[in-house]
Amino acid sequence: MELTFHGQNYIQYQFNKLGQTVSRDKFRINLQFKVGEEHQAGVLFYASGSVPVETYLAVYMDNGRITVKMHTGSGDPMVTTSDTALNDDSWHKIFIRLDGRFLLVVIDDQSNANQISGDMHQLHLDPDVYIGGGPALKGKPGLPVTYNYIGCLKEAYVDYDNLIGGVKMNSSMITFNGGTPIFECVELGHTPLTFPNKRSQLILNEWTTGELNLKFTFRTSFPDGILVHALISIDDTPDGFLNVHLVNGSLELQVDLGTNGGTNRQKAVNTGTSLHNTAWHDVHLAIRSGNILLTVDGRMVGIPHKHSMVSRSAIYMGSDVSGANTGFEGCMRQIHIQGNTLSPLKVINSDMANGVTIDGCQIALNPCASGELECENGGACTHETNGTKCTCNAKEYTGSRCQFPLFKKSCADYYRAGDRESGPKRIDVDGSGPVPAAHVMCDFSTGRLKTTIEHNFKAKTLLRSYGGPHLDFKLQYRDMTPELLAAFVKHSSGNCRQLFSYWCYESPIRLGKFTRVYGPTDNEISEYPDRFKTQCNGNRQTWQQDIGYMTRNLPITRMRVLNKKQTEFTRATLTLGPLECFESAAASKPNTVTFFTPESYLTLTPLKKSLSFIFRASAVGNVVFHQMRGDKIPNSILGYIAEENLFTFETNLNGKTDEVSVATTRSMIDGEWHTITIDINDPDILFIVDNDSEILSVPIGQSIGPFRGRLRLGGTPEVPAGKEGLMGCISAVTKDSEDIFLYDFYNEFKQDAIQPGCKSKCAKNPCKNGAQCVDKWTSYECVCAHPAQKGKNCEIDNTKDMVSFSEPTVHLEYTPSSTDLLTSNLHLSFRTYQSDALIFYANDHLHNFVQLELMDSAVLIFKYNSGRQIVEVMVDSRDEAMLLNDGAWVDVSIERDAEITVLKVNGEMMQEAGEPVNLLTEYYDGPFNGAEETVMPPRVFVSSDKVDNYTLALIGGAPDLMTSLPGLQGCIRGFMIGDEHLPLKPLATRKMQGVSTQCTDNCAQGACQNNGECTELWSSFRCNCSSTSYSGRLCSKDVGANFQSASLLVYPFTLYEEESDKSTEMDSLTFGFSTETDSGVLAYIRSDDEQQDMDKSIVVKLMDGNVEASVDFGNGPTTISIEGPFNDGYRHVVALKRFGNRILFDVDNQDGNYTTLTDASPVQFTRRAALVAGGAEYNVTRFGLDGAGGFQGCIAGLDYNGIKPLELLFGAYAPSDSIGVSKAQCAMLKMDESESSDGDNDGDMTSGKPAGSGSSHSRSSQSGISSEWNVKPAEGVEYVEPKKQKTKIDPEIIKYSIIAACALVILLLLVLIIRMACKLKQNDKEEEAVTMEEMTPLRRKDLEQIDAAPTRNRTLAEGVPVSNSNSYTPVPREDPQPLPSQPPSQPQPPQPQQQQPPQPQQVQSEPQVVATGQFTVEASPELKDEPPIPMIDDDVDDDEITEATPLTSNEDIPPPVPTSAPPHLTPPQPKKDIPSEDAPNGHEKDVPSESVPSESAPSESAPNGHKPLVKNDSILSESETAV
């Protein structure tokens, strides 16, 4: 066994087990070593002692020779030195034996025996012996060399103790110091010097002047640091310096020439890249006449100079003169300066080294550069002084290697973790496995949790067409492999579906035959599921649809489409919906348990790598799970609810105890579902509670686990003090990537404390009025939503007791029976739009008071007197970026005790006052101290004993004589004094003007239409329509006009307007417009034509879809443009308002900014002449209208300074001129997508997004924003159907088969001949027995009629009897229905790509009767009992029709008289459904049938005068028509 020593390592051997000095006269040492030639000195063995006398035994190398020196305390030391140097990189042996006074030393073949003289021959040694060096060797007796050994040992025995073996076995008596032992002999080469930190430095004084020649080799893992630094004098000026330093992994030579360098004093050149890759790099720095050269790994750069250069300091290697924290961390070796080689062992013990060590270059290598640390999931590896780490995307991954995804495994996990917002999210099905997270769409809007995964199969993909090939399709699902898809569907308990919509025209689908559909595990879907609408297999000449949801073997990942049974009109398309999987918001009963007692729990096998589950709890201190310790391995994890928002994990890993607490944003005891996830991935363990997480890391080299104890869920037999087991539910347990079926781990019939399902006392929602139900599992507790709600179930709702004040001058008065109102807790709610209001005030006969008021829209103030001092408690909601006068209910709580008063607003904002509640006990009529007294009741200047006792409360305001504060315009509800409710409605029962017992939100239900601004008046409301282009009380009146490009509306002001200074300083122009054109003049106001040099105008134009306003009052226009596009066909509202030189221009209420006119511009718009809308006046080129075009579209609600020309135009009196303007209703305002109520839009089934939805919704946590999936649509690859191989039959089999067939035929012929002979013989006998004389005349007559009649059953086709009647009536099986002009509207198949096929050519030679399908032939009266003629099946394939024998004439039977078919017997010609590009959505087009004459002459080719029948443009024989 070999062991390598780097120079910092040594073995410490406890020679005496008792740790005491021992005296020995018998001793053995065996060493076998190897040293390289570059190492010349070092200690191999040292033992010493000083009691009772100083003795020692030392083995060391000096100048390559081995010396053994021993001193027993008397006489001179005995010394044996090797004859030659042994640092030749070869193995050498040393043997030392002390036996009484005899000492034997053997070095290889050199042997030296000595006899110890004197009285002392024993070694008195300390208990510790050192091999390979030791601590603080300097000054030790007998050691001229104090360096640690650098080399290898193969044997190291002290007596019979194997020291290298002891190091390997971790013996308690042997310690290896200086790093991790390397049990092999590693070639060390040159001894490196280690610079362990950025302040370490080596000082060299060999260069003072002249040329410099410095060589060294370095290695490091850090990209920056100084390697060489020196202060230099340039031309005798001492202000320059020389640096060689690493900058971002490149070595830079920098020279500062000082003041003699002029403006270009600093010069720098770089060479090399990635020099911090922990490899050794050679450096040569040389200063020669006129050049400073730097060579790195053979690449040279240089800086020329023309100055004399001498050193004014030593050369510092590793840092600069100051030793600042900018130095080099790493190693250097083979340092040569001015031709001299530095000996590391000599340098390390001299003043040249500051903080430099010899440790075999045990630097922290750069794991990033070496690849030792590989960051996963896109993490960035960074290596710094304080360590190496992976920087992860904080919202997506975490862990020391970014190995843990922060995404949930399913949409259900997001929901149960508290994320209830539907939208795109990312899920990681395999957790910390190799597959990255996938984008899905989560929908939580219904009772079921739906997950949608999109694919790349485009909607309405063409599958079949005439002449088209067979196709193979392979589908790709976003971010999902087939294996993950199968696992995902399995995790969803198979509750998945996929829409399948197949449109066909003469194109049957025939699953499993013509169409083969496969799932992710290559299982085939060979038939439709139940309740699937199917029609296409009928192969009819019309557009049909097979539609429904596939539910088995999902999702569809591959399809093979065989294009068989084609006609020239064959066409089929397929729309395949995304994969949709569902989970219940409630937990699955078989996988859920309820623990009714804290002593109950489930026992599972030990945890290995991962654990996740969901739970419900309602108490702090519940132990949720416990991975118990094993008998021999004590690793354990305990998880419990430490606080309402704190979940704690206590761990015992590898003998170290830690506590990891996860602070949660959600309450852990709210009775809702919460998620717990534990993921182990060395060297980290990740703990996740809902959406919050913490990581525990173990030291590198250690692993987490294994765990040998049982895993307990719901509790533990070892409950810590102050804790108890869970009373609640646990469900959806997954351990080590396997779903756990909890029902297998308990017996519900024997364990009453554990029952299946989550049996909640809150399941039936016993709490009323929005109260929260807290489940106690054997009982429940209701937490009322409002302090004014009372009762066990919060069934008493005092918030419904409310009053509203519509006038600020009215209030309510209440006279309590005591003064409790002045000292008790108070609670009420109010809502208002006022900025300042007195909400309530109460005082008593001694002038004690309390008061609540609103100030500046956001400040709520509670005032009270403490003695003669006014105390004020104030809450400012602007600190929380909110207002208190936005019309929403504001909850106010005032909590009072003897020492403190607390004001709370909405349960969150809070302030307190430390002044005690101290009521006056005597009448006081003077002013109070402290804050301002804003309500002052009447005071009578009399003595206390003459004042009547009273307490008065004023609610909603106070009389004007008492205060200047306005009363409340708004509502008050739920007034509580302590625990008692103050009824408000009875106080308002008498008829009071401005007070109501209702608080109706008149503006809540969209009272003002078309984005009108609603003002709440509490008893009514008011609409402001100025920014809507509508008018009327509800902003519903719409007066608009259509304008063509030549239309024009002109309103002359001179008829009505009398200008004043005030009216000319303000302008207000508002209107709405809708158009799809790019440009045109919308409206303008201009001055008259008298003074053209003082033209004034306001012009609003549409320019390339943008809206532009130009205001010019004589000194040039000020132009404001708002970017659109506004030519999208929707209504847009333009508002331009001017106040002096300030202009506000806005479109669609986008909060436009004010623009200031130029300083020289006047602020008065005088000589207004006309308002023009819809274009420019004829020949008017001024006012910026040169080249302006007319407007084409609609303008509505035109209003300029209160004048509404459109209303006047279409009213009884129209003082405006108009050209081509007609009354119209413009388009509606463009609504936000969230306001759309259209729920019938199916949208794109492939992506799962509703049509027109635009960008996807996003959430601010975990999931991130779902990016668009730019993937190439799945394309069909042509598939060549393999030819069927003909089976080769053995010729012998063929031969014997033929012989057997011939023998069978011969046998059948013989049988037939024998039977015919017997029949003839029998007939002869019958003829002999019957004579004509015996026949009666009547019988003879009957026979004659029979002979004269035609054959009764004349055969058209085999087995089909036909009447001898010359006329027949075709009876169609189904009445031909006229085809619809358009196919079904939803969904629409695509437009066919091929051209319309040619029409069938009409046969001109003979009249035609078109076969229409199944029919029967009416029999003659004599044949009523004959079997009916079989009907023809439309679905019979063409290749299944057999040709029948044509009818032949019989000479004995006269042919029937030919007649033409009567019109009522001629079958109608059906319209043939032919897919055409002219048909909408690629469906059928009605093609009229060719005309068929009702009567025609018989054809010569038809036997017996029958008419030919036509099928598929070919003449058929009558026998064929029968078929």
Side-chain angles (χ1 to χ4, degrees), residues 1040-1048 1072-1082 1102 1126-1127 1129-1131 1173-1175 1190-1196 1206 1220-1227:
N1042 267 333
F1043 290 79
Q1044 301 301 322
S1045 57
S1047 302
L1048 196 65
F1073 75 93
S1074 61
T1075 184
E1076 294 184 356
T1077 58
D1078 294 337
S1079 303
V1081 176
L1082 294 170
L1102 184 68
F1126 298 111
N1127 57 338
Y1130 289 100
R1131 178 183 298 210
F1191 171 73
Q1192 185 173 350
C1194 187
I1195 295 178
L1206 291 176
V1221 179
S1222 59
K1223 188 174 182 179
Q1225 184 175 354
C1226 295

Side-chain angles (χ1 to χ4, degrees), residues 1386-1400:
Q1386 287 293 342
Q1388 297 291 352
Q1391 296 286 348
Q1393 302 300 317
Q1394 67 186 43
Q1395 296 181 354
Q1396 179 176 334
Q1399 300 294 332

Side-chain angles (χ1 to χ4, degrees), residues 671-824:
E672 298 291 332
W673 286 109
H674 297 275
T675 62
I676 295 288
T677 300
I678 301 173
D679 203 344
I680 300 173
N681 196 331
D682 291 337
D684 303 326
I685 179 170
L686 172 67
F687 300 104
I688 303 178
V689 182
D690 288 343
N691 293 318
D692 306 290
S693 63
E694 293 290 342
I695 291 179
L696 175 65
S697 300
V698 300
I700 296 177
Q702 294 186 13
S703 60
I704 299 174
F707 299 99
R708 293 291 185 248
R710 295 291 183 177
L711 173 63
R712 315 285 187 177
L713 291 181
T716 176
E718 301 176 1
V719 179
K723 310 292 188 299
E724 64 178 5
L726 173 69
M727 289 182 64
C729 302
I730 286 181
S731 180
V733 180
T734 301
K735 186 172 74 69
D736 302 322
S737 301
E738 294 291 334
D739 294 334
I740 304 300
F741 190 67
L742 293 180
Y743 201 83
D744 292 340
F745 294 89
Y746 67 98
N747 188 331
E748 64 174 305
F749 303 105
K750 295 182 179 180
Q751 295 173 286
D752 293 336
I754 303 177
Q755 291 295 309
C758 190
K759 299 182 178 180
S760 168
K761 292 294 183 180
C762 292
K764 296 183 179 180
N765 194 19
C767 302
K768 308 301 181 184
N769 298 310
Q772 178 188 359
C773 184
V774 178
D775 210 324
K776 303 297 183 180
W777 310 108
T778 56
S779 63
Y780 68 91
E781 178 184 344
C782 293
V783 179
C784 298
H786 195 277
Q789 295 171 344
K790 300 297 178 182
K792 177 183 178 181
N793 296 332
C794 303
E795 68 276 11
I796 303 173
D797 189 5
N798 292 317
T799 62
K800 296 178 181 179
D801 176 39
M802 63 184 69
V803 292
S804 62
F805 305 90
S806 59
E807 300 294 338
T809 57
V810 297
H811 62 275
L812 299 179
E813 294 185 2
Y814 168 64
T815 304
S817 60
S818 67
T819 60
D820 291 345
L821 175 62
L822 303 177
T823 59
S824 298

Side-chain angles (χ1 to χ4, degrees), residues 87 94 170 256 366 397 480 593 595 605 616 647 696 758 806 930 939 1061 1105 1134 1174 1178 1218 1240 1269 1303 1344 1376 1436:
N87 58 339
I94 299 175
N170 293 318
D256 189 321
N366 187 344
Y397 297 95
M480 286 279 194
V593 294
F595 301 94
T605 56
R616 296 175 64 183
F647 196 97
L696 175 65
C758 190
S806 59
R939 293 176 176 174
D1061 291 342
V1134 177
Y1178 181 70
S1218 65
D1240 298 328
W1269 189 33
E1344 291 174 357
V1436 177

Side-chain angles (χ1 to χ4, degrees), residues 19 108 116 145 191 275 281 314 382 491 510 571 583 614 681 702 715 830 877 906 950 1041 1326 1348 1372 1477 1523:
D108 286 344
I116 301 175
V145 173
T191 303
L275 299 179
H281 299 281
T382 56
H491 181 74
R510 297 192 183 176
R571 192 168 185 83
E583 290 187 64
I614 60 177
N681 196 331
Q702 294 186 13
F830 74 92
S877 65
N906 290 334
Y950 74 90
E1326 290 177 358
E1477 294 179 355
V1523 179

